[in-house]
Amino acid sequence: MRVSSSALLATLLAVAAAKPVPETHVVHEKRDVAHRFTTSRWVKRDRLEKDTVLPVRVGLKQQNLHNGAEWLMDVSHPQSPNFGRHWTQDEVIAKFSPSNETLTTVRDWLVKNGISDRRITHSDNKAWFAFDATTEEVEDLLHTQYHEFEHSSTGNYVAACDQYHVPKHIQEHIDFISPGVKGANLRKRDSKKAKRGLRGSPARKQAPFMPKNVSSLATCDQVVTPACIQALYKIAPNDPHAKVSPNNSLGIFEEGDFYAQGDLDRFFGNFTPYIPNGTHPIPNLIDGAKAPVSLQLAGGESDLDFQLAYPLIYPQTTTLYQTDDIYYSFGNDPNATGLFNTFFDAIDGSYCTYSAFGETGNDPVLDPKYPNTHASNGYKGALQCGVYKPTNVISISYGEQEQDLPAYYQQRQCNEWLKLGLQGVSIFVASGDTGVGGIRGDGSVNGCLGSNATVFSPTHPNSCPWLTNVGGTKIYPGRSVYEPESAVNDPESGYSSGGGFSNLFDIPDYQASAVSTYFSAHDPGYKYYRNGQYNSTGGGLYNRNGRGIPDVAANGDNFAVFNAGRFILEGGTSGSAPIFASLINRIVEERIKVGKGALGFVNPTLYEHPEVLNDIVNGTNPGCGTKGFSAVKGWDPVTGLGTPDYPKMLDLFMGLP
């Protein structure tokens, strides 16, 4: 490569001006190993002025992150003597907070290098130090140089460096420093509106008829009513006048999609007359979110979630976690493609300042920023932290693909799912509606990975091992509720049950035997790769040692729904998740009646006792030019362990402490 004499001179002058790095220091982070910055996305621009003030954060090493999985299994495995002895939030914070040695060592280093103690703010959860400093101060502290970096497509500007140094004795005590290789926002140019890339819109079609007898099971293969779901999983409606626990509401997450009370009332009037009109979720509205909306603005996802849940749990209540103001929830910031962080903030105040995997607090680019200064009608309050309690069970029908978000973003969130499990919260997430592929047009025409767009695309947050993924099943034409279901597969709409193997997270111990049996008895026959390295393996389609998706399944097609005042059919694993979550919420209610507690993370128990589920052995989840995987005996990456048998599940969980 030829270099001009002027460029060479500039380089030599910069090197000459830079202060030598002391032998006592080492490189802590370097750009060529960073997740966020690649040469195709970020372009280095001018040096920062020395008097530019930077908001510095020092992420302190957390204690015991490596013990998290073991602790979760200790309270979740049915054979553990500590099953059900969930932790308080304060106990979780204390276990993962940095050590006193870390706090003292890092503070002393900062003070000795000119950052006075009064300038340093220490977060409530002890996870980071923060202070403002000039570029000159930070460059001297970290022996580096700061530049502006411009994103080639979004126009975001961040302050960052190529690498920075810390003393050797400090390195073991810090996770990262920002701005460093990870940038801090400076400004951005105006950009066009774009919709956030969320998975959560149900498959929709015209209903062939309105059932005249809503208790009839004769046409469940065409229109799935509450009576069909109750018959499939052997669960009768609750006594509508029964006394229920006020502390066992079913949580339902929504983002950018809103329910209409008129739709709920139409549904209740036609299918569940024992549920009175006006019945509605408890509103836990986050960062300026609003709900309900008028019929004309009603979202298919929200209407579907509540119309599936209420017939299964009433008179138990639901709690709506509706996130973000209209500006962000409608995707008016094309850079804010992240998901769940403002929800985590609201139900776990410590998450607002929690540090892990090079990230502290919300991401400055990927997440909404409050107060919202971008829109006149945006939420002007402060970011809501710890304002709501998590319910015992939460259903989530939204997600993205693993490829859509940086690894550190997903890893830090996975820690939060683990922390919620430790506190007794059960999380159920729809596995996705695009089979083994991704959303069409997302990264490639067919949403698949690799240079030839043939590699299967795992879903987020489903790849995290510490939540329960729910795949989709269907009553095939001509079949009844008394016959086995099949994996959902609708070629006309391209909808099939999301499943496969994570490229980011390894197979967890509780799943290892089931996945091993699947490969030994039902090898899918595709070439594979390992450790998520699909770009260097010569044709592999899936990650052989990745966490398997889904864990379980439930019906996911032809649901009878009222949306925007019309009677239609909807489908999607976004319906499967609230069905399974509702059954677990019913079981928690029965446990509370006899003095027992919530269930928390249910996967270890279900994998230990697959006999409480209906094994699904028919159907596939096509994608990426293949038929995908097949539903087979035992666990499979289409329908997991199978669909619920409520009486068996109830007996199992009632028999546990």
Side-chain angles (χ1 to χ4, degrees):
M1 179 178 69
R2 300 178 64 184
V3 180
S4 68
S5 57
S6 59
L8 179 61
L9 177 60
T11 301
L12 292 173
L13 289 173
V15 171
K19 296 180 180 179
V21 179
E23 294 183 359
T24 55
H25 285 55
V26 292
V27 174
H28 189 66
E29 283 191 286
K30 193 174 182 179
R31 179 165 304 282
D32 59 1
V33 296
H35 294 293
R36 181 182 295 282
F37 296 97
T38 62
T39 55
S40 62
R41 296 174 59 193
W42 292 92
V43 181
K44 184 190 290 187
R45 300 302 189 192
D46 297 335
R47 280 284 304 275
L48 286 187
E49 297 291 336
K50 291 188 178 297
D51 59 355
T52 299
V53 176
L54 299 176
V56 182
R57 284 182 170 180
V58 181
L60 304 168
K61 281 286 186 183
Q62 306 289 286
Q63 292 186 97
N64 301 313
L65 287 180
H66 61 288
N67 292 324
E70 179 183 349
W71 289 336
L72 181 60
M73 291 305 100
D74 186 46
V75 298
S76 305
H77 197 284
Q79 295 179 5
S80 170
N82 292 319
F83 178 88
R85 296 181 180 178
H86 299 116
W87 299 12
T88 66
Q89 189 174 96
D90 287 342
E91 288 173 329
V92 171
I93 291 175
K95 280 291 188 182
F96 292 103
S97 291
S99 67
N100 289 330
E101 180 187 1
T102 290
L103 300 178
T104 301
T105 302
V106 175
R107 186 184 290 272
D108 287 348
W109 166 61
L110 294 174
V111 171
K112 289 177 180 177
N113 284 271
I115 310 300
S116 64
D117 192 68
R118 60 183 175 80
R119 294 170 60 186
I120 301 171
T121 299
H122 190 193
S123 65
D124 290 340
N125 73 332
K126 314 302 181 186
W128 52 267
F129 288 140
F131 56 90
D132 290 340
T134 65
T135 299
E136 183 175 22
E137 287 180 304
V138 185
E139 287 184 342
D140 288 345
L141 177 71
L142 302 179
H143 298 278
T144 188
Q145 293 181 349
Y146 281 93
H147 289 254
E148 290 186 347
F149 283 77
E150 181 186 11
H151 195 285
S152 57
S153 60
T154 68
N156 272 334
Y157 279 85
V158 298
C161 59
D162 288 323
Q163 65 180 30
Y164 62 89
H165 305 78
V166 299
K168 296 175 183 177
H169 75 283
I170 292 296
Q171 190 169 34
E172 65 180 292
H173 295 290
I174 64 173
D175 184 9
F176 79 112
I177 296 176
S178 173
V181 172
K182 177 183 183 299
N185 262 15
L186 293 173
R187 65 185 186 278
K188 70 176 182 182
R189 65 169 179 246
D190 292 335
S191 54
K192 296 181 180 179
K193 295 180 180 181
K195 190 72 174 174
R196 294 178 72 182
L198 304 184
R199 166 174 50 80
S201 299
R204 178 177 301 179
K205 50 192 169 184
Q206 185 175 349
F209 55 85
M210 166 74 81
K212 294 180 180 179
N213 180 358
V214 296
S215 63
S216 172
L217 304 178
T219 57
C220 291
D221 60 331
Q222 301 174 66
V223 179
V224 175
T225 64
C228 299
I229 297 171
Q230 291 159 3
L232 277 172
Y233 306 130
K234 305 173 187 175
I235 181 169
N238 273 321
D239 176 354
H241 305 293
K243 184 178 179 180
V244 295
S245 170
N247 299 316
N248 190 39
S249 186
L250 171 64
I252 296 180
F253 169 93
E254 304 289 352
E255 165 78 24
D257 187 284
F258 312 89
Y259 84 93
Q261 187 62 46
D263 284 330
L264 298 194
D265 290 343
R266 283 172 172 80
F267 182 85
F268 299 151
N270 280 275
F271 291 102
T272 56
Y274 55 89
I275 302 179
N277 283 358
T279 300
H280 62 84
I282 299 166
N284 281 7
L285 306 179
I286 299 168
D287 296 328
K290 297 182 184 301
V293 295
S294 65
L295 281 176
Q296 293 81 0
L297 299 176
E301 178 58 54
S302 299
D303 279 349
L304 174 67
D305 288 341
F306 292 110
Q307 291 173 36
L308 288 172
Y310 268 117
L312 293 171
I313 67 169
Y314 186 83
Q316 292 174 254
T317 61
T318 64
T319 292
L320 167 62
Y321 295 107
Q322 187 84 46
T323 59
D324 296 317
D325 65 17
I326 294 296
Y327 177 83
Y328 283 110
S329 62
F330 277 10
N332 290 325
D333 183 343
N335 305 299
T337 58
L339 189 60
F340 302 123
N341 273 351
T342 52
F343 166 62
F344 287 150
D345 292 335
I347 63 171
D348 177 3
S350 72
Y351 190 79
C352 288
T353 53
Y354 176 66
S355 289
F357 301 101
E359 187 85 336
T360 297
N362 289 344
D363 190 280
V365 175
L366 297 174
D367 293 322
K369 291 166 276 294
Y370 298 111
N372 183 347
T373 60
H374 300 290
S376 59
N377 61 345
Y379 172 63
K380 303 305 181 185
L383 180 73
Q384 291 184 296
C385 297
V387 295
Y388 301 118
K389 290 184 178 180
T391 53
N392 293 324
V393 180
I394 299 176
S395 174
I396 297 173
S397 297
Y398 295 74
E400 304 183 52
Q401 305 300 118
E402 268 189 351
Q403 66 162 337
D404 291 336
L405 294 166
Y408 65 77
Y409 189 95
Q410 298 176 65
Q411 289 167 327
R412 178 169 170 266
Q413 288 192 343
C414 193
N415 273 7
E416 182 66 8
W417 300 121
L418 185 151
K419 288 162 57 183
L420 289 171
L422 277 172
Q423 296 171 68
V425 180
S426 303
I427 306 290
F428 295 88
V429 183
S431 71
D433 301 341
T434 53
V436 296
I439 300 171
R440 294 174 183 176
D442 183 13
S444 65
V445 172
N446 62 359
C448 300
L449 307 178
S451 57
N452 297 322
T454 57
V455 179
F456 299 167
S457 178
T459 46
H460 163 82
N462 311 87
S463 56
C464 176
W466 315 128
L467 45 74
T468 304
N469 293 303
V470 189
T473 54
K474 181 175 180 174
I475 306 169
Y476 274 27
R479 296 299 186 96
S480 76
V481 294
Y482 304 110
E483 298 174 271
E485 295 178 78
S486 298
V488 66
N489 185 356
D490 187 345
E492 184 178 343
S493 65
Y495 160 44
S496 61
S497 179
F501 299 90
S502 171
N503 285 323
L504 186 58
F505 296 96
D506 293 337
I507 301 171
D509 288 346
Y510 67 78
Q511 192 185 49
S513 177
V515 173
S516 176
T517 298
Y518 167 74
F519 284 133
S520 62
H522 307 284
D523 192 288
Y526 301 125
K527 289 183 178 180
Y528 58 84
Y529 52 89
R530 292 186 181 275
N531 303 321
Q533 302 300 312
Y534 60 83
N535 283 325
S536 59
T537 56
L541 299 185
Y542 69 95
N543 187 28
R544 187 77 165 194
N545 61 338
R547 185 263 204 266
I549 304 165
D551 300 298
V552 294
N555 193 270
D557 206 13
N558 293 331
F559 296 121
V561 172
F562 278 90
N563 177 241
R566 297 187 301 116
F567 178 65
I568 59 173
L569 298 186
E570 289 190 352
T573 58
S574 51
S576 310
I579 289 175
F580 209 104
S582 295
L583 302 191
I584 294 297
N585 213 67
R586 281 276 295 265
I587 293 173
V588 172
E589 185 72 20
E590 296 301 317
R591 286 174 56 86
I592 290 174
K593 288 179 182 178
V594 297
K596 296 184 178 182
L599 289 172
F601 185 47
V602 299
N603 286 16
T605 300
L606 294 178
Y607 277 89
E608 191 79 4
H609 293 282
E611 71 276 5
V612 302
L613 299 159
N614 305 307
D615 194 9
I616 305 301
V617 296
N618 181 58
T620 60
N621 58 350
C624 304
T626 74
K627 71 173 185 179
F629 298 108
S630 297
V632 296
K633 184 178 179 180
W635 179 89
D636 56 68
V638 187
T639 59
L641 297 168
T643 62
D645 184 317
Y646 181 74
K648 291 181 179 179
M649 285 173 48
L650 179 63
D651 286 346
L652 171 62
F653 285 113
M654 291 302 290
L656 296 176

